[in-house]
Amino acid sequence: MYFIEWIAPDVEFDHAFELANLGRFLTRWLFNVEAWSYTETKNQFTKELENWNNRMLQMSKLLAA
């Protein structure tokens, strides 16, 4: 979350929108403590984080380097 807040002012509008969505996603999962006791929920969260990670890498253009 700190990383998102730090870079959001300096990125393009479309990317800032994606970062805001990522922040909401992380917050929603962070405060859903009960869900962490279920393996299926953890797997879903991990899969969704993998998708977000790939989008962040594409945004950063680190994959093109």
Side-chain angles (χ1 to χ4, degrees):
M1 292 299 296
Y2 293 118
F3 177 72
I4 293 169
E5 292 172 7
W6 178 59
I7 65 168
D10 298 324
V11 297
E12 298 172 15
F13 177 77
D14 291 340
H15 296 318
F17 181 75
E18 287 239 22
L19 289 173
N21 284 335
L22 174 58
R24 284 195 297 276
F25 168 77
L26 292 172
T27 301
R28 186 173 60 243
W29 282 92
L30 179 66
F31 289 106
N32 191 2
V33 176
E34 296 141 7
W36 289 104
S37 60
Y38 301 106
T39 303
E40 182 179 325
T41 305
K42 286 184 208 176
N43 291 340
Q44 179 186 4
F45 179 70
T46 302
K47 188 172 187 170
E48 189 66 28
L49 275 180
E50 184 179 340
N51 293 335
W52 279 109
N53 181 55
N54 291 335
R55 290 205 294 257
M56 295 297 112
L57 283 172
Q58 288 173 348
M59 256 191 255
S60 69
K61 298 185 173 83
L62 289 173
L63 296 176

